[in-house]
Structure formats: structure tokens, C-alpha cells
Amino acid sequence: MFLPVLFALSFLFSSSNAADFCVGDLNAPQGHAGYSCKKAEAITVNDFVYSGLAATGNTSNRIKAAVTPAFSSQFPRAGFISSDNAVYVKTLGKGDGMVFPQGLLHFQINGGGTPAFALASFSCPSPGIQILDYALFANDIPIDIIRQTTFPDAAQIKKLKKVLGGTG
Ligand SMILES: *[C@@H]1O[C@H](CO)[C@@H](O)[C@H](O)[C@H]1NC(C)=O
């Protein structure tokens, strides 16, 4: 009987998204630890996206150089599916950046029809990366466990395991 797995997960993560991230409230006073957090109802996907790097910097100055910061005041913080299952989706253009809060399920799709280049940076020197498709279908978790904790039927799971190199 494996069903309690999903149940346990939803129980473990039943808190509001307030625990997932803190979007800096740039209108509130800044304290020692930075900005205080915006109220959850006021957070939108745009709090996680910054387009300032898409524009060429102005180098008409003495040192003929430009610095375009992407710090907390440009980029409030942290976004994409929060633990309360809210989805934050945005179509990004060239040079745009987006923050994914640590540990949250996220995705990128190249919708441009041509090769895309993405630069990822992490907040720790040795981040672990877990790809959901591989985690579920590229190993030897018994099909019956996957079937009971997700919803595809055994035939669909077998097909995905075959595509992704899993056994079991
Ligand atoms: C670039 O900087 C110079 C010097 O501050 C300024 O005169 C000029 O208007 C700026 N150009 C743009 C496109 O912002």
C-alpha cells in the first residue's frame, strides 16, 4: 500500500507560499537583513523577472564601460510552482532573467524554434539538480509505486521508462 506517499507530501508542504520565497517590498523601509517581504496577495510573476540585461549599457562615460546591476532592488527576489501549487509563468525575451526559489519545481521551454542560450547561476557552490522526468522514469522505481503515487497507467509509465532509460 503506497498511496500515503502523495498524501504525506501534500501534508508536508501544506504551508502557504510565504515559506517558499520572500519578494522584497521595495516600498517598505529597508532593514539590516534587506527588504521586508511583500504580502503574498501582491506577488506576481513580474516580481521574479528582470529585463534590464536585454538593453545595451551606456558606455558614453570616462571609463567607456557600463555596469547593469541585477540586485535586489532591480530584482526583488526569489520564483515555478510554489508549494501551494501557484504557477508563475512568463514568456522571456533575449536578455531577460528570472529567479527560481531554491528547491521549487520549475521548468523552461524553448518556444523560439531556434537554439536558445541560458545562463544559470545558483546560490551555493555545489547545488544538487533533480530533473523530475528522470527522477520518476529513469531509474528502477517499480512501476506500481509510480502508478499509485501519480496517475498515469502502467502502460504509459512503461513507455516513459523506455524513453528515459528506466527499468522496473
Ligand atoms: C549616456 O550617458 C551620457 C553621459 O552621462 C548621457 O549624456 C547620454 O544621454 C546617455 N545616453 C543614453 C542613450 O542614455
Side-chain angles (χ1 to χ4, degrees):
M1 182 64 176
F2 298 107
L3 206 54
V5 173
L6 264 190
F7 199 75
L9 284 177
S10 58
F11 175 74
L12 277 175
F13 296 106
S14 65
S15 61
S16 79
N17 66 14
D20 295 336
F21 41 74
C22 169
V23 172
D25 183 352
L26 305 186
N27 298 315
Q30 197 176 358
H32 290 300
Y35 295 100
S36 52
C37 304
K38 244 179 163 177
K39 286 191 174 21
E41 317 79 73
I43 295 172
T44 72
V45 68
N46 293 322
D47 288 311
F48 304 98
V49 174
Y50 178 55
S51 297
L53 299 177
T56 305
N58 183 351
T59 55
S60 302
N61 54 51
R62 200 175 295 265
I63 60 166
K64 298 187 175 9
V67 174
T68 305
F71 298 149
S72 59
S73 47
Q74 286 82 29
F75 217 160
R77 180 148 293 203
F80 155 88
I81 300 172
S82 62
S83 59
D84 61 356
N85 295 321
V87 182
Y88 296 80
V89 181
K90 176 105 181 175
T91 301
L92 302 178
K94 189 174 178 178
D96 287 350
M98 184 163 187
V99 172
F100 302 129
Q102 188 172 347
L104 289 188
L105 191 59
H106 60 274
F107 49 86
Q108 301 95 43
I109 296 168
N110 177 9
T114 55
F117 171 79
L119 179 67
S121 108
F122 297 87
S123 58
C124 83
S126 183
I129 295 174
Q130 189 170 41
I131 297 175
L132 184 64
D133 307 301
Y134 291 137
L136 283 173
F137 304 112
N139 51 37
D140 61 355
I141 302 177
I143 288 174
D144 210 37
I145 292 182
I146 302 174
R147 190 182 57 75
Q148 289 183 78
T149 54
T150 60
F151 297 101
D153 62 32
Q156 289 170 315
I157 295 167
K158 238 181 220 167
K159 193 171 151 190
L160 288 164
K161 276 182 174 277
K162 197 170 172 196
V163 169
L164 293 162
T167 57

